[in-house]
Amino acid sequence: MEHTNLLYEGKAKKVYETDDPQQLIVSYKDDATAFNGLKKGTIGGKGAINNHMTNLLMDRLEQVGIPTHLIRELSSREALVKRVTIIPLEVIVRNIAAGSFSKRYGVDEGVVFDQPTLEFSYKNDALGDPLLNSSHAVALKLATTQELETIRRYALAVNDFLKKLWAECGVILVDFKLEFGRLSNGTVVLADEISPDTCRLWDAKTHEKLDKDRFRRDLGGVEDAYQQVMTRLLRHS
Ligand code: UDP
């Protein structure tokens, strides 16, 4: 597969065009940012881990009926994906209070919900990714009501599947962020990544953080944590 044009470079990934207009190559970087780009660093091995974990999880999700943009893994850092137009929403599912939820509502981290919560943020760095509800998303023409219903259904199905899978690996899935995109025919599919950059993962026994919070909060052992969750997932699979 030939790399041609660099289409886009984000904080953690580069996206290249290929000779097929419907296919793109995603290349995962070791660069890490937090707090809307204010904190910058690198996490050794992160690109390869996030690539492999995303591909493995998307493969499994496809098997249970959730369509994704993944075509196949190309190399340690790269995956071939279907070209989509990203719907500019961060779709966040939470099982346990943490991060911005705890801060916003004054709830201790670790409070377990009876049912998962689902929220949307408007993916817009200049505005600081503000929280928004589905009527706002429709008013802003970010997605249709029907697309939002599909996204909601997929996001909760992803949670059911991943919560169980991670539990089998001795890991608690606290919360995570998904992004969806539209194929050229309008079909909504899961896109972006599913990795310790985008999920909160806690050790089931000790509640030790095994995700990007180690970087965000300067907890140390960042590389080890990413490696640890990848190893546990590979051992399980
Ligand atoms: N998240 C993400 N990208 C973002 C914001 C959040 O991947 O731009 C993930 C984050 O890693 C966590 C979940 O979404 O797993 C919920 O994040 P939260 O809203 O608590 O925000 P944070 O505390 O990370 O700012």
Side-chain angles (χ1 to χ4, degrees):
M1 184 57 57
E2 287 293 310
H3 285 71
T4 49
N5 228 1
L6 175 65
L7 186 64
Y8 168 82
E9 177 158 7
K11 294 170 199 148
K13 298 188 282 295
K14 292 182 193 175
V15 180
Y16 296 91
E17 290 184 310
T18 66
D19 41 23
D20 182 335
Q22 296 310 321
Q23 301 188 351
L24 301 174
I25 292 172
V26 180
S27 177
Y28 288 75
K29 306 193 280 187
D30 287 350
D31 298 349
T33 63
F35 312 119
N36 204 4
L38 283 178
K39 183 180 171 83
K40 289 192 175 75
T42 47
I43 301 174
K46 174 170 89 78
I49 290 172
N50 288 6
N51 178 44
H52 197 51
M53 189 180 293
T54 298
N55 300 337
L56 194 154
L57 295 177
M58 285 195 180
D59 256 344
R60 302 290 300 270
L61 289 167
E62 286 273 359
Q63 287 167 20
V64 297
I66 296 154
T68 78
H69 72 161
L70 181 68
I71 300 172
R72 66 174 186 277
E73 186 164 288
L74 292 178
S75 66
S76 67
R77 276 179 193 280
E78 293 178 331
L80 185 66
V81 300
K82 296 175 188 166
R83 184 192 277 261
V84 298
T85 313
I86 291 286
I87 297 171
L89 292 173
E90 298 199 336
V91 180
I92 294 173
V93 181
R94 302 177 190 271
N95 298 303
I96 297 180
S100 71
F101 185 96
S102 289
K103 201 165 160 211
R104 190 180 320 120
Y105 302 119
V107 184
D108 284 343
E109 280 207 352
V111 172
V112 180
F113 304 143
D114 291 341
Q115 303 183 84
T117 69
L118 189 137
E119 73 200 39
F120 299 123
S121 292
Y122 180 16
K123 244 176 88 72
N124 184 317
D125 282 344
L127 297 175
D129 298 338
L131 192 66
L132 89 182
N133 67 26
S134 22
S135 63
H136 297 153
V138 173
L140 292 168
K141 297 197 182 335
L142 306 180
T144 66
T145 305
Q146 202 186 351
E147 286 175 333
L148 291 172
E149 195 35 59
T150 303
I151 288 172
R152 174 183 209 85
R153 188 161 44 82
Y154 287 160
L156 293 174
V158 169
N159 184 50
D160 284 344
F161 182 80
L162 292 186
K163 205 166 60 170
K164 188 162 168 287
L165 181 68
W166 279 119
E168 289 162 5
C169 304
V171 172
I172 301 172
L173 178 61
V174 174
D175 60 27
F176 58 94
K177 184 261 305 183
L178 300 176
E179 294 182 23
F180 292 85
R182 293 179 198 100
L183 301 176
S184 55
N185 66 6
T187 305
V188 171
V189 300
L190 181 62
D192 194 49
E193 66 177 287
I194 310 174
S195 73
D197 272 11
T198 62
C199 302
R200 283 197 170 91
L201 302 167
W202 293 356
D203 179 86
K205 286 209 187 91
T206 63
H207 286 197
E208 187 192 357
K209 297 182 196 312
L210 299 172
D211 57 61
K212 194 171 155 188
D213 271 348
R214 300 207 73 84
F215 170 77
R216 291 190 190 98
R217 302 179 190 187
D218 293 320
L219 299 176
V222 189
E223 280 87 356
D224 285 354
Y226 277 64
Q227 192 58 63
Q228 173 72 231
V229 277
M230 186 72 241
T231 305
R232 288 201 208 180
L233 187 61
L234 288 175
R235 252 190 232 135
H236 170 275
S237 302

